[in-house]
Structures are given as C-alpha cells and as structure tokens.
Amino acid sequence: MRTGETIIAKRALWAWAAAALIVVGAAIPLVAYWLTNPADQRLVDLDVYRTGGQSLLLGVPLYDVITPAPQLLPFTYPPIAAMLAAPLAAVSWPVAQWVWTIAIVATLAVTVRYGFRPALSPRAAPPGAEGDGAAAVVPWLGRAARWAVPLAFAVGVVACLYLMPIRDQVRFGQVDLFLVALCLLDCVARRPWWPRGMLIGLATAVKLTPGVFLIYLAITGFSWRKPYMRDEGQGRAFFMAVFTAALLTVMPFLVIPSDAKDFWFSALLDPGRLGANAATTNQSIRGMLIRLYLPDSVTSALWLVAVAAVGWYGFRQARRAYLDGDPMTAVALTGLMAVLLSPVAWIHHLAWVVVVLAALVGAGTDRVRLLVAGGVWLFYVVPVPWWGVSLKALEIPVLSPVLGKIVQNGFGLGALALVWLLGSWLPRRRARIAP
C-alpha cells in the first residue's frame, strides 16, 4: 500500500532536482569568489587542518608547525583533529579546497533539512506543536507539496548560505558547520543508525566547545532527585557522548603521546595561539569585555560573573524547551552557549544561527515567528561588527566610542538577545497561539 507521502516523494523528483540546481547556482558566486582569492588568503583554516595532518605524516611536532607565510597560523585543535585531518594531507591542495568547500555546502543542506524539518515536511506539526510525533498536514502545503517543499528547502539553504557566519565558513574553510550538524543530528534524528550521543562525543573531541552538549544531555537525562534517570534516552546518550569523547582523547596518547602531552599541558593553556583575543571577530562574552580595555583582573571577574549568569539562564531554558517537547529550541540555546561562554568565539562560530532560525520558524505557520526569524536572518547577513569599526574610526565625540563599541559587539550582543528570544519570548508565543 502506497501512502500519500510516498506518491508525493516519487512525483517530486523533478522538484528536488530543480532545488539542487538552485542551491548550486546560488553557491557558485560565493565559492568562486573565495576559491579564486589570492593563494595565501585562500581557506586559511583548512590549511591549518591540512598542515596538522601533514605534520603527523612527516613525524614533525604537531604544535610547533605553522602554516606558510604570510598567515603563519599554528595548529590549535586537539591531536585527534590532526589524526582525522591526515587524509587532507594525502591529496593536493586544490583538491582539498574543492572537496572541503563542496562538503560545507552539502553539510549546510543536511543541517537545513533536519533543522527546518517541521516546516519542510508534508506532515509536520500544527501551530504551537513542535514534537516529532505530530501528524497534521501543514495548511499551506496541500496538493502543492510536491514542488513547494523542495522549493522551500532550496530557499532555506540559499538564505542560510549567505549568513555572514556561513560565508566565513566558506571563506576560511572552517570546521564549525560540520560540528553543528553532528550535534544537531545527534539530538533530533528520530531513529539514528548510530548510538545516540556518539556524534556529540566526536564533535567534543575535535574542538572541545561542543562539550556544552554534555551538559545539555546531563540536565535533560538526569535528576538530582529520585529517580535519578529522568529520561533514559538522554541519559544513555550522555554516557555514550562521554565515552566517545574520552576514547578519542585518550587515543592520541597511545599513538602520538608527545603531541597529546603538548596540547593538554601547554598549547591548550595559551589563548594567544588562537589569535588576537581583542579582535572584532571575537564575539564571545570575554571578547566583548576585553574590548572595554579594563584592568585584566576586572575583566576576568566580570567574565566569570557573566558566564555564570548566562550559562545558568541558557541551560535552564534549554532544559525547559526539551521538557516542553521543543528539542530544536533546546539545541539552538545550547549551541549559543558554546559561542558565548567560550573564551574565544570568532564570527564563524556563530554558524549556530542556522539552528536558531529553524527554532524560530518552527512549523512555518506563525507569521509573527516568521517575521522575527526574517529579522534575525537579516541582522546576521550584514557585517554589523565591521560597521562598528568604521563608526569608531570616524572619531565623532561620544557617538563613535559609545555607539561604535556597541555596534562592534553587535553579533555577540545579538547572540545574548537570541538567548532571551528563545528562552523567554518563544515559549510565551507558542503558548499564546496553542489551540
């Protein structure tokens, strides 16, 4: 017996092919621009990964190598990341650039498909319901589903592709979007073929900051009161994530022990290896505070207080969203914690904005939520922090130093606003329109 969804899927092959062409066509200008950049400015972070892989193949100390001039960038990731990057060193530099860039666009497509699933499915949740079990047909689809869904998917991918954090993924050849996809899939896939929690463990081992999802799994899977296991699925995922991260962390000590020791007892403790922490591109809470140029002791104290306050609120609201049956909002809030609480968070780390937009859009039936999502999208498309730099350069009394500083921190302050938006405004909005 064929269901309506099966018939739609078969009839929609041409529409999905057209959607793929739209995405490719929209990606060509962006990809062509950055892959024809001067060679020494092209995908510089990918060059860091590849250089790390090369150092292992050549037997050179991993944390002593730097990329060629003029970048001179050191390898800053855990040693398991260099082991995973070794295949990049086995291919030519041009091939590595193309493979990595195509993978970024493909990963974005997967992220959009899973993130916006309630709005992109012919059988998605009704207004006010975000759970996986909802089965009401979305009103705006109707018989047009066979072409409307692929078209909406293509528009979503293209819109997200031109967000500034995602453009920077292509520009620098960054790994962040892959980590976003790993954590998202682990949290929202309905019937994963892998042990749930494994992908979060992998992401955590590669770049540490996804470790915020260990906290998320813990607070949603366990309770301090009896029974201790609140949600068995989340609890098992927590143990799997911890096991995977621990295994991938210990492995380098067995294979490349000197490099593993160098990272955990030296390189990790040197934030200067990541670049100028006061640079505009650092939009973490700490980065914004550093740019106030207060005494170091005051900056550190303010940072610890802010991290405690934002972390308490963000994780509390993520737990609440999960218990309310809205895992997408929970994932988005946790992802924002990875950005805001980290000592250093460059603009491209805000790739989590894709998941934030998905949480705001929901089933795509609330016009107010769609308008808010559109405003967030527009804010992160334009180079707001660099407008602040330009405003400061005008040296207008009072205006330049005050307003310029605020605008310069725009993406970080915007991330703080998004935490409130997802944690406070969105639950009230959902409750208001719930049937």
Side-chain angles (χ1 to χ4, degrees), residues 141-155:
L141 289 175
R143 297 185 64 181
R146 61 173 177 263
W147 59 265
V149 170
L151 178 61
F153 167 74
V155 170

Side-chain angles (χ1 to χ4, degrees), residues 89-424:
V91 299
S92 67
W93 178 227
V95 169
Q97 293 176 62
W98 278 105
V99 169
W100 193 265
T101 303
I102 292 171
I104 286 175
V105 177
T107 301
L108 177 62
V110 172
T111 303
V112 169
R113 189 69 180 98
Y114 274 84
F116 290 82
R117 181 170 56 193
L120 293 174
S121 172
R123 302 187 66 80
E130 310 293 340
D132 284 346
V137 177
V138 172
W140 65 269
L141 289 175
R143 297 185 64 181
R146 61 173 177 263
W147 59 265
V149 170
L151 178 61
F153 167 74
V155 170
V157 174
V158 172
C160 291
L161 182 63
Y162 280 85
L163 290 164
M164 189 173 180
I166 304 303
R167 297 201 308 268
D168 278 359
Q169 297 290 311
V170 179
R171 174 185 179 182
F172 297 114
Q174 253 293 333
V175 72
D176 296 284
L177 190 57
F178 298 102
L179 304 180
V180 169
L182 289 174
C183 295
L184 176 65
L185 292 178
D186 223 353
C187 291
V188 305
R190 291 169 180 167
R191 287 179 290 274
W193 52 265
W194 63 88
R196 197 182 295 275
M198 186 179 73
L199 301 187
I200 288 174
L202 171 60
T204 300
V206 168
K207 201 174 179 179
L208 302 184
T209 51
V212 294
F213 280 89
L214 299 181
I215 300 175
Y216 166 68
L217 292 176
I219 62 178
T220 55
F222 302 95
S223 173
W224 296 115
R225 303 174 182 176
K226 293 183 179 181
Y228 298 110
M229 185 80 79
R230 174 187 294 113
D231 185 312
E232 291 187 5
Q234 293 292 92
R236 287 193 299 268
F238 170 79
F239 286 121
M240 176 55 65
V242 171
F243 171 77
T244 303
L247 178 65
L248 295 177
T249 298
V250 171
M251 186 184 300
F253 280 98
L254 304 176
V255 181
I256 47 174
S258 61
D259 290 327
K261 180 181 177 182
D262 286 345
F263 175 76
W264 291 104
F265 299 104
S266 178
L268 178 62
L269 306 177
D270 180 11
R273 290 177 62 91
L274 301 175
N277 289 193
T280 301
T281 50
N282 183 9
Q283 292 287 313
S284 68
I285 292 175
R286 179 170 173 268
M288 292 186 284
L289 289 173
I290 288 175
R291 285 190 290 275
L292 295 177
Y293 298 103
L294 301 171
D296 290 346
S297 58
V298 175
T299 298
S300 297
L302 290 174
W303 179 55
L304 292 175
V305 171
V307 163
V310 173
W312 175 83
Y313 179 82
F315 285 118
R316 184 170 180 266
Q317 297 305 319
R319 174 180 172 273
R320 174 188 174 187
Y322 176 80
L323 295 178
D324 286 347
D326 188 3
M328 198 64 62
T329 297
V331 172
L333 280 165
T334 306
L336 289 174
M337 294 299 100
V339 176
L340 291 168
L341 306 186
S342 174
V344 177
W346 310 124
I347 288 174
H348 50 73
H349 293 172
L350 279 159
W352 286 104
V353 172
V354 175
V355 185
V356 171
L357 291 174
L360 289 173
V361 168
T365 54
D366 182 354
R367 293 182 181 179
V368 173
R369 289 175 62 172
L370 291 175
L371 287 173
V372 171
V376 172
W377 172 82
L378 181 60
F379 184 79
Y380 281 97
V381 164
V382 295
V384 173
W386 303 112
W387 291 351
V389 173
S390 299
L391 184 58
K392 288 171 62 179
L394 295 177
E395 298 184 351
I396 302 173
V398 180
L399 182 64
S400 289
V402 177
L403 183 58
K405 187 78 68 177
I406 293 173
V407 178
Q408 184 185 21
N409 295 331
F411 280 179
L413 295 174
L416 287 171
L418 290 177
V419 171
W420 172 83
L421 196 69
L422 295 175
S424 296

